[in-house]
Amino acid sequence: MRVKPVVLAAYHRVAASGRRRAECWAASPRALDVLTALSCLALVALDLPGLAAADNSLNGWLAALVLAVGCASLLVRRRAPWVAYATALLFVGWLHELTLIQFALYSVGRYRGRRAGILATVGYVAFAFAVFSIPGWPEPRIQTLSSFLSLVVPIGVLASAVGIAAYRHDLVRELEARRAESAVLNAVQQERTSVARDVHDFVGRELTLLTVRSEVLSVRARKTAYAKDFEELADTARRAHLVLNEIIVQRGERDATPGVEGLAALARESDRAGSPVRLTLDPQVHGLSPLRQAAVYRVVQECLTNASKHARGETIEVSIATDGPLLRIAVSNGLPDRTPGRAPVSAGSGTASMSERVGSLGGTLTATRTDEAYLVVATLPRC
């Protein structure tokens, strides 16, 4: 009796794994190539009776085998589209079959670009015209030329044009993906620079105070046995400050990132923009280090900006609380019933910036979207 649940659970795991593998394979380019080859074979199979009648060298079974081998060349259409193209030209000259050449011309234009697509189309038209001009063509000369101009040429030009258009679409999509990736990387780099500047400002101030205090103590202890120790301490603090200045080479001139005292101003600004804010702030947050307060400010600022873009008019709940050794920042807002008619301008890099800021302090950030609300939760150590 105990074996059945174990066997059933194992069966479900194997079935789930099989479904995942099948879904992964179905979405792969290889599956699309197989489907393309089968589709082409299904179309050319409609010409089997005509091929057997027009060419006595091929019976039904042999014609089916030849067509299957020719359509199999489409399996390598991504890596070697010229193989399918050469096979298709052979079919045009030998069997007068025009189905495979459409797939081949599309593949050349799709995976080799405009120049290759135009060259393949010109070669196909020239080759087909030469074939149609050979004496002994089954149809009368005038009918052959008419079918050539009305069917053969448009088939090749259209297939190649669609492939070239798809190639350009792929280029545009890849360019957009690279731009989005570049924007995210740029946002992460800017956030790192901002963190570095904050480190320089906050830590540099403490090092300056340490240096001054050490020098004062060394003067007071000049005639004691501890004078040398205080002088070394002052020198160490000065060297640390110099090293910090050398590391933060992109400091620039700017105001330091505000702390939690700037949250009220952010809330008022959001209220004026039409998105009311309910701010819940733990009093212990005021005792956090300046770096952590700057992280709180940046996370809340980005969340309020996103809410004003995508959920204007919805109330934004902001909660900042301490939970033992952790600091938790939670920002949530409802989602509008209707999506805006015009998409808001967004670089799509805000979440990456927040993650970089929180991650630099050893924390984590999660963004969750449901049917009714959008929630961002950042957790980081208090110290």
Side-chain angles (χ1 to χ4, degrees):
M1 297 298 294
R2 296 180 180 179
V3 178
K4 291 184 178 180
V6 176
V7 174
L8 185 60
Y11 169 77
H12 287 307
R13 286 195 297 269
V14 172
S17 177
R19 284 195 300 269
R20 288 194 298 268
R21 291 179 179 272
E23 292 174 357
C24 182
W25 186 85
S28 65
R30 172 61 63 185
L32 183 60
D33 291 341
V34 172
L35 180 61
T36 301
L38 292 177
S39 300
C40 181
L41 180 60
L43 291 175
V44 299
L46 300 176
D47 294 338
L48 282 176
L51 293 178
D55 193 332
N56 294 326
S57 65
L58 291 179
N59 56 33
W61 289 104
L62 183 58
L65 178 61
V66 169
L67 293 177
V69 173
C71 292
S73 64
L74 293 174
L75 296 177
V76 295
R77 66 193 186 106
R78 297 175 188 269
R79 299 188 303 273
W82 294 108
V83 173
Y85 176 75
T87 304
L89 290 184
L90 177 63
F91 274 34
V92 172
W94 177 24
L95 304 175
H96 311 145
E97 169 56 49
L98 300 178
T99 303
L100 181 58
I101 191 64
Q102 301 175 53
F103 288 86
L105 286 174
Y106 171 84
S107 300
V108 172
R110 174 71 182 274
Y111 301 112
R112 289 298 180 267
R114 182 179 62 181
R115 292 183 179 179
I118 294 176
L119 178 62
T121 304
V122 172
Y124 155 71
V125 172
F127 181 80
F129 182 77
V131 170
F132 273 55
S133 301
I134 295 177
W137 178 259
E139 299 177 358
R141 170 76 178 175
I142 185 171
Q143 184 177 351
T144 300
L145 182 60
S146 174
S147 62
F148 175 80
L149 295 177
S150 62
L151 178 63
V152 178
V153 174
I155 281 178
V157 173
L158 181 60
S160 181
V162 173
I164 294 173
Y167 175 79
R168 293 176 63 87
H169 177 72
D170 291 342
L171 290 180
V172 172
R173 186 170 54 185
E174 182 180 0
L175 179 60
E176 291 177 350
R178 289 186 178 181
R179 285 179 177 175
E181 182 181 0
S182 177
V184 171
L185 293 177
N186 185 47
V188 170
Q189 184 60 38
Q190 289 180 354
E191 194 63 27
R192 288 178 178 175
T193 302
S194 178
V195 171
R197 290 171 177 173
D198 289 339
V199 169
H200 182 280
D201 293 340
F202 299 139
V203 178
R205 181 179 60 186
E206 299 299 327
L207 286 176
T208 300
L209 295 177
L210 177 60
T211 303
V212 173
R213 185 61 176 168
S214 300
E215 291 176 347
V216 171
L217 291 176
S218 66
V219 171
R220 292 181 180 178
R222 182 170 299 173
K223 297 181 180 181
T224 66
Y226 304 103
K228 185 177 180 181
D229 296 332
F230 284 119
E231 290 178 358
E232 292 179 355
L233 180 61
D235 290 339
T236 302
R238 279 192 294 270
R239 287 196 301 270
H241 203 174
L242 290 175
V243 170
L244 184 64
N245 287 336
E246 291 176 358
I247 294 176
I248 312 301
V249 296
Q250 299 181 358
R251 181 170 181 266
E253 295 296 331
R254 60 157 191 83
D255 296 332
T257 302
V260 295
E261 72 279 355
L263 296 179
L266 285 179
R268 290 193 296 268
E269 183 179 352
S270 180
D271 289 340
R272 289 193 296 269
S275 298
V277 177
R278 295 177 184 172
L279 178 62
T280 303
L281 185 63
D282 191 334
Q284 296 184 8
V285 176
H286 292 280
L288 296 174
S289 66
L291 282 177
R292 279 158 177 75
Q293 291 196 31
V296 171
Y297 182 89
R298 289 299 189 193
V299 170
V300 174
Q301 182 185 43
E302 183 62 34
C303 289
L304 295 183
T305 301
N306 290 339
S308 65
K309 288 180 180 179
H310 303 285
R312 179 173 298 178
E314 300 292 332
T315 301
I316 308 171
E317 301 284 348
V318 180
S319 174
I320 305 168
T322 56
D323 183 12
L326 299 177
L327 170 67
R328 186 176 185 274
I329 310 166
V331 183
S332 64
N333 59 267
L335 298 178
D337 296 333
R338 297 181 179 179
T339 56
R342 180 175 298 178
V345 177
S346 176
S349 55
T351 302
S353 299
M354 290 189 294
S355 298
E356 179 65 27
R357 167 73 69 162
V358 174
S360 66
L361 298 177
T364 59
L365 183 140
T366 59
T368 306
R369 182 188 181 94
T370 64
D371 294 336
E372 299 178 353
Y374 187 80
L375 173 64
V376 175
V377 177
T379 304
L380 61 154
R382 292 177 59 181
C383 301

